[in-house]
Every structure is written in C-alpha cells, then in structure tokens.
Amino acid sequence: MFKTISITVKPEDENNSILINKLIRRELNIPKDSTSKLTSIFKKKSIDARHKTIKLHLKYDVYIDETPPLQNDKLPVWHKAETQKQVIIIGDGPAGLFAALKLLEYKIKPVIIERGKPTKERRDDIALISTKHIVNENSNYCFGEGGAGTFSDGKLYTRSNKRGDINNILKIFTYFGADGKILTDAHPHIGTDKLPSVINNMRKKITELGGEIHFNSLCTGFFVSENKISAINVKNLETNEFNSFSGDAYILAAGHSSSQIYKMIADINPDAIEAKTFAAGVRVEHPRQIIDNIQYHGKKTDNLLAAEYSLKTQVNERGVYSFCMCPGGFVVPSASGPDEIVVNGMSTAKRNSKWSNAAIVVETRPEDIPVEFERMAEEQGCPSLKGLYFRNHIETLAKKHADGQTAPAQLLTDFLKNKKTDVFPSVSFTPGITSSNLNEWFPKQISSRLAAAFYEFDKSMKGFICDSAVLIAPETRTSTPVRIIRDKETMENPYIKGLYPAGEGSGYSGGIVSSAMDGENVAAKIAEKLN
C-alpha cells in the first residue's frame, strides 16, 4: 500500500527520527504492535508561522509492506553536438543555458552570445559599483554569465507548473552543484554565494559537448531578408571587431534589461512587440530581527531561518505587492548603465545578514503610462515602447536625486509623513544612500499607492511600519514592460521568422525556474522543427 501524508512537528524536532516515525504511524493509524514494514521517503518541508506556535509541515511518501518503485531521478541525456545544425542563443541567463542543454539532448550545437563576462571577471565589475561607483554597462548585476539571477538570491520558487517539470529543473541544478535541499524545501533557493559555481559547471558541460559560449560579445543588429533572420551582427567588446553569426534558428534570451534589443526589433517591425504590464516601486529594508519577531511572534528562532513574508493588496484598482523577498539579505545596485539608479535584493545560501528586504511594487498597466512617454514612443515609430521609456525615466530621475551610485532613500515613517529623513539606521546597500523625499519626485500614481499599501501591510504585519524601516529606490526591474510576440504553437515570432523569444526579456516568464523552463520549451520546438 502507498500513501502520501503530512505530519507536523516543532522546528527543534525536524531531525528527531524516532518522533517522526511515531507520528507517521499515528497518521496512518498503524498500531504500536503492528509488524508492518514502512518505508518513508521525505518529499517536502514548509514552515507554518501563521499562529503563535510555529510548526514545520513535513510531507512523506510512505510504502507499507511493499518495496518503493525505483525513483525516476534520471537526468536528461546530453550528447556531443553535431555540426550540421546549430542554433544561435542571445543571452547566457537561465533561459539561454537551459535552452543550450535542451538542444544538446538532440545533438544540435548551441552557440551562446553573451555581452557580459564570465562570473569571476563579472564579480570584479560588480565590486566596482560599490567601491568606486563605476557601472560597466555590459558587465554588472544584470548582464554577464548566468544572467540577472546569478548574483541575486538564486530563488527557485515558482507557481509556473504548467510550463513544464519544475522538479526536473531543480534536479539539473542539483546535478551541477546546488544543494539537494532545493528538491524538498517549499521555497527553495541556491544563494548568491553558491550559484556562480553551479553556472560555471553548466558552462563546462555545454562546451565539453561542443557548444560555444562567446563572452564580451554584444549583439548589435539582425540581418533580415524577406522577413526572415539570416544572421546577427556581434561586436567583440575587447577587440571592437564585428563578426556575424548565423544558424538554423535564433533564440532571443537577452533578459529584462536589454533595452537596445527591443529598439532593434522595433526598427525591423514595430508589430513584433507589444506593451505589457510591469511593476515599479521601492525596496523596503528592515533589521532582520524585526521581521523575525513579527513573523515568528517573538518566539526564539534558533532552529529557523530568517523569516519570509508575502504581501499584497489592491489600491485604486491596481495591485501593490511584495516581490523577491530576501530574508537575511542585502539590497544591491542593479543599474545596467552609468546614468541610472536601480536596486534589487539578494541573499547568500545561509540568509544570515542582519537585514531583511523586499521589493514593494505597484502594478503599472500600459494605459497607466503618462502621455509624454506615449508621444515619445510614437515619435520613435513604436508605441509599444512607451513603458520602456517610462521605466528609464524613473531610473534616470533617481540618478538626479543621488550621488554616484548611491540610492535615494527615506525612512518609511518619513515617507508617510512626506518628510525628508535626517538620520538613518545602518543599511546593507554598499554604495550608500542619499536622503531624498521620494514623494517629491516619484510618479504620484506609484507613490500614493505605495503609501496606502504600507498602512494595509501594517495591519497584517503589525510593526512593519517602524522607524527602522528604510525605503531605497527605485525597484523597476521586476519584469519587462515589453513583450516580444511569438506564436503559441511554434514559439516563433510571426513577424521575424527564425527568431524565438525566450525568458524574462521576452515577456513570457519571471524568475530563474520559469525562465529555464521557457528556454527548454523554445529549444524543444526548434529541435522538433529541425529534426
């Protein structure tokens, strides 16, 4: 007999095997004197902190008096690439990497074009943002090996279970070096300190099997004939030389920050893209202890990780919600150019810093874009770019209210009082912060909704509004304001044949796992066509 059950234990009893076996038998109504043989396979763990007593819910598959079937933990079989067919992939983030691995299942050669640097050199460029306020527009938190997620939290939680097999993505990450806990944690993450080595192992596998990865290589244009892409133009950023790359198909997985890609596509055919809803707001950072106390009801947390939270509400018919919550994490500078300020969040694997932060963002629909940016997009021949211009406006405006790569900041309590902050607590943002009254320059449609939402959030998390909470602005890269159109069946752009949008930059995914699955799905469609 087989059953799936859940038991509940205290955090300190998570590894108490005697108690756990006892609870499993009780859940199955098996008498103490029974000779039945049980085989329990641990499947999932989640923390329940909704009430004063904190609990762990543990899920098991239990086999009673029978041998469990062999676990289907087989990885995909990757083959040596054959040179007769090759696919050009623009972008080395999760969509690009998993697309490359999927192509190797079909012996198709992947050629990845990445404007940024490998993780080691990229780390050096990221350090310069904090130490010298220098932003390399091609190598930063957004661009480089592994994409935007490499130097973020490495969050793997997703609800996109209709896109593909989430567990398969997690198994592949584990094969390449991620902790096996990601297979059982309810909200798995790898950690910014661990993810680069995982990405490096993926690169090694792809190149060992005959794939190519070209770093410091910026796609500067598409060669299109009779509405079909025939090659891409690529600039080597080290030598300034230009080369063309051609293949049997082209996967566009450039990420949500590659603004120039959208403009290049619009120049070919403005109908190939469309405006979509995105979100913009701020990062709110609390001392970790405050969030832990709220979420764990002031209980001792020695056996628990830093507390998470998820918040959402509606203000004037628009959603306001938390995003990319980083317990025990840091706020990091995520500008992809020297003339803008952008912030994001990250955590290490242990999530043990003294701060916790999250983006609090406001839903921004295409009809919410101010008319001046509609006009600007129309003048450039593509009305669908209006959200992109609005996003850029917020980021460059923030730069005008800060110094170098410091970020405009304000105490949450002062933001609600419409008052500039005089004294700040310590913050995790290493470039530093500049005191600024966000109400004076942030778009009113965003700032007013943020204010109303904070009061709502404080009702469900009493103490969320406090003198230790700091707003650091702006958070604008939760998703792209542009979607590159693709056919639902073929996943090919109907206006530029041979071009297959994938990942966050395409507008069809959000986060590491959903982007990885999207990359796999696109690559599988291409393989189906080529074979």
Side-chain angles (χ1 to χ4, degrees), residues 97-118:
L97 286 167
F98 276 79
L101 290 170
K102 177 59 71 172
L103 290 170
L104 288 169
E105 292 182 42
Y106 298 92
K107 303 180 182 180
I108 299 171
K109 180 179 178 179
V111 179
I112 299 177
I113 306 298
E114 171 56 52
R115 68 189 291 178
K117 299 179 183 179

Side-chain angles (χ1 to χ4, degrees), residues 271-289:
D271 292 330
I273 60 179
E274 63 183 2
K276 64 175 277 291
T277 296
F278 70 110
V282 298
R283 277 268 152 188
V284 57
E285 180 172 83
H286 291 79
R288 172 186 163 184
Q289 186 177 2

Side-chain angles (χ1 to χ4, degrees), residues 340-354:
E340 61 196 29
I341 300 292
V342 183
V343 298
N344 196 359
M346 68 163 220
S347 300
T348 61
K350 291 184 178 180
R351 291 181 162 178
N352 60 356
S353 87
K354 62 181 183 180

Side-chain angles (χ1 to χ4, degrees), residues 173-219:
F173 273 122
T174 302
Y175 172 79
F176 286 111
D179 193 312
K181 289 182 180 179
I182 66 173
L183 296 169
T184 55
D185 284 349
H187 290 168
H189 81 289
I190 297 176
T192 187
D193 51 334
K194 305 290 185 183
L195 192 51
S197 64
V198 174
I199 299 300
N200 293 163
N201 291 335
M202 286 182 160
R203 180 219 305 170
K204 185 177 179 182
K205 174 63 72 174
I206 291 167
T207 54
E208 278 179 350
L209 293 174
E212 297 179 13
I213 302 180
H214 298 267
F215 294 109
N216 296 296
S217 299
L218 177 66
C219 175

Side-chain angles (χ1 to χ4, degrees), residues 117-178:
K117 299 179 183 179
T119 54
K120 185 178 179 181
E121 293 91 334
R122 183 183 175 191
R123 193 188 297 274
D124 294 337
D125 289 328
I126 285 172
L128 287 176
I129 301 174
S130 293
T131 59
K132 299 191 182 231
H133 296 241
I134 297 172
V135 179
N136 181 331
E137 62 184 359
N138 295 302
S139 178
N140 45 61
Y141 275 99
C142 295
F143 300 137
E145 184 176 18
T150 301
F151 293 100
S152 69
D153 205 24
K155 293 181 183 67
L156 304 178
Y157 177 67
T158 181
R159 294 186 178 91
S160 302
N161 52 19
K162 293 182 180 179
R163 294 178 184 270
D165 186 350
I166 294 172
N167 199 54
N168 183 62
I169 299 296
L170 301 183
K171 284 191 293 185
I172 292 173
F173 273 122
T174 302
Y175 172 79
F176 286 111

Side-chain angles (χ1 to χ4, degrees), residues 266-267 269-271 375-385 389:
D267 286 342
N269 191 328
D271 292 330
R375 275 197 222 100
M376 191 181 299
E378 288 170 359
E379 288 171 2
Q380 296 299 316
C382 184
S384 297
L385 294 177
Y389 289 119

